[in-house]
Amino acid sequence: MPVRKGDVFYILPGTIHAVGAGIVIAEIQQNSNTTFRVYDYRRRDASGNLRPLHLERAAEVLNYDPLIPSECKANGMTMLPGFRMTEMFSCRYFRAYKLDIETEARLYCDGTSFHHLLCVEGEAVITADGKDYSIRRGESYFIPSAMGEYQVRGASRVLLSRV
C-alpha cells in the first residue's frame, strides 16, 4: 500500500504488516513487547546471525479475516491559542493526537494518565515544573500523570499519546 507523509493507520492485533524501505514511522501501541516475525528481509542480529522467524507462533495469533487497510481519518480538530490539536486515533487502550504548534501549547496532565510527547517536525522547549527541556525531531519525553500544567513552546509538530 503506498504511503504518504502524515498518513495514519490503525492496524488491528494479529494483522500481518510491514514497513518498506525509506519509511519512518511512529508506532503507538498497547504495551506488549511481542513481535512474531514471518519474514525479515535476511536481517542479522548483533552477532551476525539471521534473526529468527516465528512462523508457528504467528499462525496461532494471526487474524485470518480479510482486511483492507484504510487510512484513519482525524476524529476531531480543535484550534487553541498558539496551536491546533487533531485526534488521530482513540480506542480503549490509548489515544493519539497531533499537535501543530505555532507558538505555544498549554497542556495539562490530570492525574489519570502520563503524556508521551514525540517531536516529528521542528524543535521546541517543554516547560514542566519550572524546568525547561529541549525537544527536536525524533526525540520524546514522558510527562508524569501528576504533572499538572506544562507548556510546549516553538514551531513544531508533536505527537501526544496517553492511555
Side-chain angles (χ1 to χ4, degrees):
M1 165 179 266
V3 296
R4 294 180 315 275
K5 180 180 178 177
D7 281 350
V8 176
F9 299 92
Y10 180 62
I11 300 171
L12 296 169
T15 302
I16 292 179
H17 58 282
V19 179
I23 297 171
V24 177
I25 64 169
E27 187 171 9
I28 301 166
Q29 64 184 7
Q30 176 187 5
N31 185 13
S32 71
N33 290 329
T34 303
T35 297
F36 297 130
R37 287 188 205 95
V38 295
Y39 186 76
D40 199 29
Y41 304 95
R42 302 191 53 79
R43 291 186 183 138
R44 300 189 178 271
D45 63 18
S47 300
N49 302 311
L50 290 174
R51 298 193 316 178
L53 300 181
H54 312 100
L55 301 177
E56 290 178 17
R57 291 285 291 143
E60 292 172 9
V61 298
L62 185 63
N63 180 353
Y64 288 94
D65 294 335
L67 177 72
I68 300 171
S70 61
E71 183 179 354
C72 292
K73 300 299 181 192
N75 292 319
M77 188 215 1
T78 305
M79 296 293 295
L80 296 160
F83 75 107
R84 180 177 62 232
M85 183 174 194
T86 306
E87 184 176 277
M88 294 187 306
F89 191 80
S90 177
C91 68
R92 70 182 194 171
Y93 300 109
F94 61 87
R95 290 177 179 226
Y97 304 89
K98 176 178 63 173
L99 308 179
D100 289 301
I101 303 170
E102 291 181 24
T103 55
E104 176 184 69
R106 298 177 68 85
L107 303 166
Y108 187 80
C109 278
D110 63 5
T112 62
S113 173
F114 62 84
H115 285 185
H116 175 258
L117 303 177
L118 171 63
C119 184
V120 294
E121 288 184 20
E123 54 186 73
V125 173
I126 300 168
T127 301
D129 204 22
K131 296 182 179 126
D132 289 342
Y133 305 91
S134 65
I135 185 170
R136 297 185 314 216
R137 183 176 181 250
E139 297 177 340
S140 67
Y141 279 93
F142 277 100
I143 308 297
S145 66
M147 178 57 66
E149 187 175 311
Y150 67 98
Q151 297 81 37
V152 182
R153 292 186 322 277
S156 58
R157 174 171 285 164
V158 174
L159 303 184
L160 183 155
S161 55
R162 57 167 291 158
V163 294

